[in-house]
Amino acid sequence: MLFIATGAAAAVGAGAVAWPLISQMNPDASTLALASTEVDIGAIPEGGILTVKWRGKPVFVRHRSKKEIDEAAATPLAQLPDPQADAARVKKPEWLVVVGVCTHLGCVPLGAPGSRGDYDGWFCPCHGSHYDTSGRIRKGPAPANLAVPAYDFLTDTKLRIG
Amino acid sequence: MSGHSTYVPSSAIARWFESRLPIIGLMHGSFVSYPTPRNLNYMWTFGAILSFMMVAQIITGIVLAMHYTPHVSMAFASVEHIMRDVNWGWFLRYAHANGASMFFVAVYMHMMRGLYYGSYKAPREILWILGVIIFLLMMATAFMGYVLPWGQMSFWGASVITNLFSAIPLVGSAITTWLWGGYSVDNPTLNRFFSLHYLLPFMLVGVVVLHVWALHVVGQNNPAGVEVKNVKRDTVPFTPYATVKDSFALAVFLIFFSWFIFYVPNYLGHADNYIEANPLVTPSHIVPEWYFLPFYAILRAIPSKLGGVMAMFGSIAILAFLPWLDTSKVKSAAYRPVYRVFFWAFVLTCVGLGYLGAMPAEGGYVIASRILTFYYFAFFIMILPLLGIFETPKPVPATIADAVLAKHGAHAMQPAE
């Protein structure tokens, strides 16, 4: 009994000391403090993509054209590896906001006209993932759609991400 | 480290010291009088070359750390500062960067030697597994070291490799955040990689000591793959025989190493790493250092994220099970005619995967990667277990001395002393 009690106390003590050593590697207060950023989106032309840095990562703010919106909305969910309706991924159809990090292994997908991949969205050159105009994975090794960060429209031309 | 020492302290002071700490006797028994099989060929010199490279990397690394700054805004500039301003900095950095490549050249030769001559078989299983652990530590150390210059390849290599952990179900993204210390590879990541890049080599030294200890307990394997039966007939003392042979091989290896340092110091690197890291732009074609390419090809050959990651780690982990996957009683491929063919096919497969790892992941390259990945694993889990049953080995010599006699005739049997 005494041995078990001593052993248990030692195990709890070792765990209590180990935790700070493990936890120190998690994001610190200064990293967490940078959790939101404000963007002016008034200058983005239709069809244009603005890349902003949020939490050290690129975020794509895309001013979608009517054609791009229709393409995204018309895609049957059955064709998607990670089924999600376009309406569930945007707050205003003309604005798509996604984290610009490929869900495969973290590269930044290309979005310049001409290198947008087979589905007019983004193409990741690292391992060949194609995303559509809703940032959804269509082809390639990535398992999931581009993530949609938390964001709010402060005004019609001002966006807060995070 | 065993091996019967013939060390006799010659002075009163040495006797006094030896009776209190018998370290001179231990060194003498391990590196002077230690019996080595008399038929060792030059493939057995890579152990010494590796020991040299490990020390060289630690020394050049420690002095580079005196001039390097592990901060995202200063790391890249501090490496250029080493190259341009620090006395002999260019030499130290090129020696360290190419030294990592040479370390891998030597370790791959060393592993191939073990694979060809069955050095992993009883009683050397623990010795072999310690070697696999050393290989893993080397890879972790090299990966973190490559991140430190904070160039484009450093950054994106780090992103891709740390993102491998996000493939783990449920806890994956929490683990990657923990590894990064943030939401992406950033300053906290660079800082901890520097800390660990400094730590791991010393852990490596610890495992190398165990590796050498285990080696000296069971003794060296040899090209005939038969154990030492008569120390006088089958072995020669480490000094001068192995010492001189290792020194000569090391000198030749250093010429090769020097050629890289002084003539093509950037040949093995990637030009993109001379562009400072930019988290918003991924280089069009990310490739790891050459020594990771075969594993990178395996990762990309599997059309699923988790599957690719498991195959890649599995391709290394499977080495640890090799002593039990190979069912043949005969160690040396010199007496295994069928195994020899599969062995060289395996070597070519690894080289082929290395080539494919550097190519874009599309079309025929992916198909070829899949075929070679299949062979890589089939070699371990199908060919090796079955070959022990179906292969008829050639007659194995009874002793090392017999093997030497059969090859060179009686004149080779001069007394070793």
Side-chain angles (χ1 to χ4, degrees), chain A residues 22 25 32 103-104 108 127, chain B residues 178 181 183 192 282 296 305:
Chain A
I22 295 166
M25 280 175 67
L32 294 171
T103 55
H104 181 227
V108 178
H127 307 98
Chain B
W178 178 71
Y183 302 103
R192 65 192 55 180
T282 307
Y296 193 58
K305 183 171 168 178

Side-chain angles (χ1 to χ4, degrees), chain A residues 40-118:
Chain A
D40 187 355
I41 57 173
I44 308 174
E46 192 175 286
I49 302 172
L50 178 72
T51 304
V52 292
K53 203 169 162 189
W54 172 66
R55 289 178 161 186
K57 293 190 263 211
V59 169
F60 299 142
V61 182
R62 181 165 180 157
H63 192 170
R64 298 195 294 181
S65 65
K66 180 85 177 64
K67 179 173 161 276
E68 290 171 341
I69 298 169
D70 292 345
E71 260 174 33
T75 307
L77 291 189
Q79 281 184 15
L80 300 171
D82 181 13
Q84 207 177 12
D86 182 56
R89 294 176 54 78
V90 289
K91 291 195 168 161
K92 295 180 180 178
E94 61 272 32
W95 293 105
L96 175 72
V97 183
V98 286
V99 176
V101 173
C102 181
T103 55
H104 181 227
L105 292 173
C107 296
V108 178
L110 303 176
S115 55
R116 290 181 172 180
D118 294 354

Side-chain angles (χ1 to χ4, degrees), chain B residues 120-132:
Chain B
Y120 46 84
K121 293 185 191 185
R124 298 186 181 82
E125 302 95 324
I126 295 295
L127 176 61
W128 173 262
I129 290 170
L130 287 166
V132 176

Side-chain angles (χ1 to χ4, degrees), chain B residues 104 107 111 129-143 200 204 292 312-313 316-317 319-320:
Chain B
F104 277 95
V107 89
M111 290 164 76
I129 290 170
L130 287 166
V132 176
I133 294 169
I134 291 171
F135 181 50
L136 274 172
L137 283 171
M138 275 178 68
M139 294 205 289
T141 309
F143 160 65
L200 290 189
L204 192 74
F292 292 139
M312 189 184 77
F313 285 112
I316 299 160
L319 292 170

Side-chain angles (χ1 to χ4, degrees), chain B residues 39 49 66 140 147 158 185 192 201 213 222 235 241 253 279 282 294 307 351 359 369 372:
Chain B
N39 58 343
I49 290 170
M66 295 178 185
V147 176
V185 173
R192 65 192 55 180
W213 184 8
N222 60 82
T235 71
Y241 294 90
F253 190 81
T282 307
V351 174
M359 293 296 116
S369 302
L372 294 188

